[in-house]
Amino acid sequence: MSLTVVTAQERMQLAREASRSVGLLSDAAKSALLHEIARALDAHVEEIVAANAEDLARGEAEGISAGLLDRLRLDEPRVRALAAAVRDVAELPDPVGHVLDDRTLDNGLHLQKVSVPFGVVGSIYEARPNVTVDIAALALRSGNAVVLRGGSAALASNAALIRVMRSALSDSGVDPEAIQTVDDFGRDGARALMRARGLVDVLVPRGSAGLIETVVTESSVPVIETGAGVVHIVLDASAPLKRATEIVVNAKVQRPSVCNSVETVLVHRDAADRLIAPVVATLQEHGVTVHGDDEVRGLAGGVVPTTEADWSTEHMSLDVSVRVVDDLDGALAHIRRYSTQHTEAIVTDDEANAERFLKEVDSAVVMVNASTRFTDGGEFGFGAEVGISTQKLHARGPMGLPELTTTKWLARGNGQIRR
Amino acid sequence: MSLTVVTAQERMQLAREASRSVGLLSDAAKSALLHEIARALDAHVEEIVAANAEDLARGEAEGISAGLLDRLRLDEPRVRALAAAVRDVAELPDPVGHVLDDRTLDNGLHLQKVSVPFGVVGSIYEARPNVTVDIAALALRSGNAVVLRGGSAALASNAALIRVMRSALSDSGVDPEAIQTVDDFGRDGARALMRARGLVDVLVPRGSAGLIETVVTESSVPVIETGAGVVHIVLDASAPLKRATEIVVNAKVQRPSVCNSVETVLVHRDAADRLIAPVVATLQEHGVTVHGDDEVRGLAGGVVPTTEADWSTEHMSLDVSVRVVDDLDGALAHIRRYSTQHTEAIVTDDEANAERFLKEVDSAVVMVNASTRFTDGGEFGFGAEVGISTQKLHARGPMGLPELTTTKWLARGNGQIRR
């Protein structure tokens, strides 16, 4: 199934039209469609890996980093893992058709607020071609058409994945125009997508802070911001050493390249002498480069001096910044200033401080005595994750399938008029 | 309490800071605060009417229309009605602190999703100074600070209302910076508000389609679009004459200047001979100018010919357009093309057509056998209305106080780390 070369605008118009029939598919039909996509990915694994090899060769020739190359790579196990992930999404409960409010007015008019698909979901993302399949599967499972705009580094991989998925749609009797790409229009494609108000209902950017900033600033389509995580852990005066160490190490080391890993540890002055040396030493044993202010450097060895930039940096690496604060107020003030409102945690045995932290910290997820790595759709039990919203409109924190739906009110009357 | 003249940016920063304490106010404190605002409005009615007289005099000198002058006018009964409306909002249930999801993970981590205030709500609106009080009351009741940008025509009125409300905040021991205006910065104020990402959490424009278009296009702050209503009523083949006439007349005549009044009536060809002449005649008896296509004009007298522009025009007046369509598919196609996705209704005795209409029409409110005038927060039983959202993100249809809140996840653990 090849894409007709039309304008980006026309592609989005086709997605809009396809969204009508996709939105009316039954739970069973949507699930079957995803199983067909998974089957097609498995069946075309060689074609996909070959397309990916083109991207890898071009990337190597252009000298992109080893980390980026790894994120770009699709070998057979990765394609099969992608297909398996699509099967998992197929088995999730249908988010459409739930009655969220039900009221009958005094005049007998019966109102129901029901969940319905958005219509057309757009996504602008970088490098990793697995996002192409991921977003398409989540969008279709929730009854939406999708318009994709992936990174130029993955152009051939994304084209192959989209070709395979569109043929699976056709084979399932579903309008293949429900999966669209504007990749082949370069920057103009991204711009058209960001300006497609009326054709695209919501835009989910996934990628670097710079990409997200651009989309939020330039888009007239409503955006769900999935943002960077400058994540904090506060070690309160009462924090027990073992729990503090385990949580900080887990939050940094278990997977440092993701948004829910910790970037800054704030230590209550009354606990600094007791906690800083052993926590820093354990982090260093795990290969972490610890950055610290003068006070921290006075208490622990091998600590790199912090700069002002450290406090607002999402390292995505085995680096963490440590600062001593006067008290809980000092910790809260630091968080207000530097947090990206993703996830913050406190380690404490003081119930009042725990509750104050939960109440006053204005972040998507606020934790007491747990690793920030739990901010994750899978861990929350959503079965899949669309992204982690760091904005306050529509969705906040990990987003599952229900966040790809909107609502409408159905009103059933027998001739009611307003007096 | 006079406003310190600082920059628009600094004002919004003050609102951000004030939002912290306002967000922590108890239900009782917020309710008492609104009663104090109502009391202050009553106590300063002369000052407010005098300020309004300045705006009216300037408006008259500038030759603005009688309709606009009426919307601008604040006489004593209107100020007292405003105060009464604030008291009504004071008595509404607190939308903050509700537990919307509650789950405990296998490892014992307890997750709760709770409703919390947005923080800072911005509004850009035109002419009517009552919006100043309306939005401020709704924002404060839901624990938010507010930044207002009203129309230049109501500059003196809005300044007086804001002065009175801010003094009521001070008298209640609440930070008066929780109510801000950027009116005195003219267009720069509006621009600063639309660009205040990080300071303002959500922006609600209220006014003309042009104003809303500007805000949606230029704002980097997330916007809730409260849009125009090109509202349709379909008279199906089976529509009984009496019910069809009552609903169409009510939807147009009961209050023609609002967004939920009908603009276009689509008549099934099989019912055209039976319905068009009497429905048009009754509309005309109520002073409605009926616009119609050739077919309609062949069936009823005194009908103005329609132009293409009619189908996408929100008249806000006693004008309605009537068109004959081949069947339900024809009606649905017309609606897809011209609707602003606000409210559409069908009058029918055919259950299957009713259910198909409910399922396939992609509007905020879809009705069967009822007047479109019911799309209203008050009618829906919300007690107050922030506006009617015509977008799909965050809120759709009439918005009450809960739509001025967001959520956060609270996670309570005892040392959980991720494996």
Side-chain angles (χ1 to χ4, degrees):
Chain A
M1 188 76 207
S2 68
L3 283 163
T4 324
V5 180
V6 284
T7 66
Q9 188 76 8
E10 285 168 315
R11 292 249 183 97
M12 292 187 283
Q13 186 64 51
L14 291 171
R16 174 97 253 148
E17 283 160 27
S19 75
R20 287 167 41 210
S21 52
V22 172
L24 297 175
L25 291 176
S26 68
D27 179 15
K30 286 181 283 193
S31 183
L33 175 61
L34 263 64
H35 280 291
E36 179 60 27
I37 288 175
R39 199 201 54 71
L41 290 168
D42 274 335
H44 292 82
V45 61
E46 281 179 33
E47 173 187 342
I48 293 163
V49 171
N52 184 249
E54 286 177 42
D55 288 331
L56 289 172
R58 200 179 56 248
E60 270 169 29
E62 289 170 1
I64 67 173
S65 74
L68 274 179
L69 274 180
D70 181 59
R71 286 201 277 163
L72 182 55
R73 188 179 316 275
L74 280 181
D75 50 21
E76 184 177 329
R78 285 190 181 180
V79 175
R80 301 218 179 272
L82 261 180
V86 172
R87 287 190 184 96
D88 287 344
V89 174
E91 295 307 314
L92 288 176
D94 192 344
V96 166
H98 296 271
V99 177
L100 305 171
D101 198 344
D102 193 305
R103 45 180 82 201
T104 303
L105 306 187
D106 289 343
N107 63 17
L109 187 62
H110 179 212
L111 298 173
Q112 284 186 314
K113 184 179 176 180
V114 296
S115 60
V116 296
F118 267 118
V120 180
V121 173
S123 188
I124 299 185
Y125 52 97
E126 290 169 329
R128 297 189 306 156
N130 58 319
V131 176
T132 303
V133 175
D134 201 26
I135 292 277
L138 292 163
L140 290 168
R141 187 66 185 95
S142 45
N144 295 290
V146 66
V147 180
L148 300 162
R149 207 289 186 179
S152 54
L155 198 60
S157 314
N158 288 338
L161 291 167
I162 288 168
R163 201 161 49 233
V164 168
M165 290 194 291
R166 282 170 60 99
S167 70
L169 263 62
S170 290
D171 292 347
S172 304
V174 173
D175 187 348
E177 307 295 352
I179 300 180
Q180 291 292 344
T181 173
V182 291
D183 277 355
D184 41 337
F185 300 107
R187 280 173 189 277
D188 287 345
R191 209 161 5 235
L193 179 50
M194 290 189 285
R195 293 278 145 188
R197 196 153 79 90
L199 291 178
V200 175
D201 296 292
V202 60
L203 195 50
V204 184
R206 279 175 60 166
S208 67
L211 171 87
I212 290 162
E213 176 75 25
T214 300
V215 173
V216 168
T217 309
E218 294 191 11
S219 183
S220 59
V221 172
V223 172
I224 298 181
E225 195 176 339
T226 60
V230 176
V231 166
H232 298 77
I233 295 178
V234 177
L235 304 182
D236 199 14
S238 63
L241 174 62
K242 179 164 178 288
R243 195 195 304 151
T245 310
E246 283 178 358
I247 287 176
V248 168
V249 168
N250 184 258
K252 182 75 253 181
V253 172
Q254 204 244 359
R255 199 168 166 207
S257 65
V258 289
C259 60
N260 60 16
S261 72
V262 67
E263 304 297 347
T264 300
V265 177
L266 301 169
V267 186
H268 193 295
R269 170 149 291 121
D270 294 351
D273 287 343
R274 182 168 61 83
L275 296 179
I276 284 181
V279 169
V280 166
T282 311
L283 283 165
Q284 289 168 336
E285 282 164 27
H286 283 83
V288 176
T289 302
V290 177
H291 306 237
D293 62 9
D294 288 346
E295 225 166 326
V296 173
R297 299 179 74 220
L299 292 166
V303 174
V304 179
T306 45
T307 63
E308 174 60 24
D310 275 321
W311 308 120
S312 38
T313 298
E314 188 181 15
H315 292 105
M316 314 291 277
S317 61
L318 284 171
D319 288 82
V320 73
S321 306
V322 182
R323 173 177 238 174
V324 175
V325 290
D326 287 340
D327 49 21
L328 185 54
D329 282 310
L332 292 170
H334 180 103
I335 288 169
R336 268 200 303 281
R337 178 151 179 204
Y338 296 106
S339 165
T340 54
Q341 302 187 290
H342 184 294
T343 301
E344 331 297 338
I346 189 170
V347 181
T348 187
D349 266 344
D350 182 323
E351 183 103 9
N353 283 358
E355 291 306 315
R356 192 178 159 210
F357 192 80
L358 289 170
K359 198 157 191 177
E360 295 193 21
V361 172
D362 184 22
S363 297
V365 186
V366 190
M367 296 181 169
V368 173
N369 294 324
S371 168
T372 57
R373 289 276 297 122
F374 285 110
T375 298
D376 176 280
E379 294 292 320
F380 273 37
F382 295 171
E385 184 180 275
V386 179
I388 295 175
S389 166
T390 52
Q391 72 176 33
K392 294 180 179 177
L393 213 62
H394 185 72
R396 200 174 187 205
M399 294 187 286
L401 281 182
E403 280 69 36
L404 286 184
T405 66
T406 180
T407 56
K408 72 179 176 189
W409 285 95
L410 307 179
R412 292 178 173 90
N414 52 16
Q416 282 83 354
I417 58 172
R418 195 161 157 190
R419 307 290 170 187
Chain B
M1 188 76 209
S2 67
L3 283 163
T4 324
V5 179
V6 285
T7 66
Q9 188 77 7
E10 286 168 315
R11 292 249 183 97
M12 292 187 283
Q13 186 65 50
L14 291 170
R16 174 98 254 150
E17 282 160 27
S19 74
R20 287 169 40 209
S21 53
V22 172
L24 297 175
L25 291 176
S26 69
D27 179 16
K30 287 181 284 193
S31 183
L33 175 61
L34 262 64
H35 280 291
E36 179 59 27
I37 288 175
R39 201 202 52 74
L41 290 169
D42 275 334
H44 292 83
V45 61
E46 281 178 32
E47 174 188 342
I48 294 163
V49 171
N52 184 249
E54 287 177 41
D55 289 331
L56 289 172
R58 199 177 58 249
E60 270 169 29
E62 289 171 0
I64 67 174
S65 74
L68 275 179
L69 274 180
D70 182 60
R71 286 200 277 164
L72 181 55
R73 188 179 316 276
L74 281 181
D75 50 20
E76 184 178 330
R78 285 190 181 180
V79 175
R80 299 217 181 273
L82 262 180
V86 172
R87 287 190 184 96
D88 288 344
V89 174
E91 296 307 315
L92 289 176
D94 192 344
V96 167
H98 296 271
V99 177
L100 305 171
D101 198 344
D102 193 305
R103 45 180 82 201
T104 302
L105 306 187
D106 290 343
N107 63 17
L109 187 63
H110 180 211
L111 298 172
Q112 284 186 312
K113 184 179 176 180
V114 297
S115 60
V116 296
F118 267 119
V120 180
V121 173
S123 189
I124 299 185
Y125 51 98
E126 287 169 330
R128 297 188 307 155
N130 58 318
V131 176
T132 303
V133 175
D134 201 26
I135 292 277
L138 292 164
L140 290 168
R141 186 67 185 93
S142 45
N144 295 290
V146 67
V147 180
L148 300 162
R149 207 293 185 175
S152 55
L155 197 60
S157 314
N158 288 338
L161 291 167
I162 288 168
R163 201 161 48 234
V164 168
M165 291 194 289
R166 282 171 60 98
S167 70
L169 264 61
S170 290
D171 292 347
S172 304
V174 174
D175 187 348
E177 308 294 353
I179 300 180
Q180 292 291 346
T181 172
V182 292
D183 277 354
D184 41 336
F185 300 106
R187 280 173 190 277
D188 287 344
R191 208 158 7 232
L193 179 49
M194 290 190 284
R195 294 276 144 189
R197 198 153 78 90
L199 291 177
V200 176
D201 295 293
V202 60
L203 195 50
V204 184
R206 278 176 59 165
S208 68
L211 171 87
I212 290 163
E213 176 75 24
T214 301
V215 173
V216 168
T217 309
E218 293 190 12
S219 184
S220 58
V221 172
V223 173
I224 297 181
E225 195 175 340
T226 60
V230 176
V231 166
H232 298 77
I233 295 178
V234 177
L235 304 182
D236 198 15
S238 63
L241 174 62
K242 179 165 178 290
R243 194 195 304 151
T245 310
E246 284 178 356
I247 286 175
V248 168
V249 169
N250 184 260
K252 182 77 253 180
V253 173
Q254 204 244 0
R255 199 168 166 206
S257 65
V258 289
C259 60
N260 59 17
S261 73
V262 67
E263 303 298 347
T264 299
V265 178
L266 301 169
V267 185
H268 192 297
R269 170 150 290 120
D270 295 350
D273 287 342
R274 182 168 62 83
L275 297 179
I276 284 180
V279 169
V280 167
T282 312
L283 283 165
Q284 288 167 339
E285 282 164 26
H286 283 84
V288 176
T289 301
V290 177
H291 306 237
D293 61 10
D294 288 346
E295 223 165 327
V296 173
R297 299 178 74 220
L299 293 166
V303 173
V304 179
T306 45
T307 64
E308 174 61 25
D310 275 321
W311 309 120
S312 38
T313 298
E314 188 180 16
H315 293 102
M316 314 291 275
S317 61
L318 284 171
D319 288 81
V320 73
S321 307
V322 182
R323 173 177 238 175
V324 176
V325 290
D326 287 339
D327 50 20
L328 186 54
D329 282 311
L332 292 170
H334 180 102
I335 289 169
R336 268 199 304 280
R337 178 150 180 204
Y338 296 105
S339 166
T340 54
Q341 302 187 290
H342 185 294
T343 300
E344 332 296 338
I346 188 169
V347 181
T348 188
D349 266 344
D350 181 323
E351 184 104 10
N353 283 357
E355 291 305 314
R356 192 179 159 208
F357 192 80
L358 289 169
K359 198 157 191 178
E360 295 192 22
V361 173
D362 184 22
S363 296
V365 186
V366 190
M367 295 181 168
V368 173
N369 293 325
S371 168
T372 56
R373 289 275 298 121
F374 286 109
T375 298
D376 177 278
E379 294 293 320
F380 273 36
F382 295 171
E385 184 181 276
V386 179
I388 295 175
S389 166
T390 52
Q391 73 176 34
K392 295 181 179 177
L393 214 62
H394 185 73
R396 200 173 187 204
M399 293 187 287
L401 281 182
E403 280 70 36
L404 286 185
T405 66
T406 180
T407 57
K408 73 179 175 189
W409 286 94
L410 307 178
R412 292 178 173 91
N414 52 17
Q416 281 82 356
I417 58 171
R418 196 161 155 189
R419 306 288 169 190

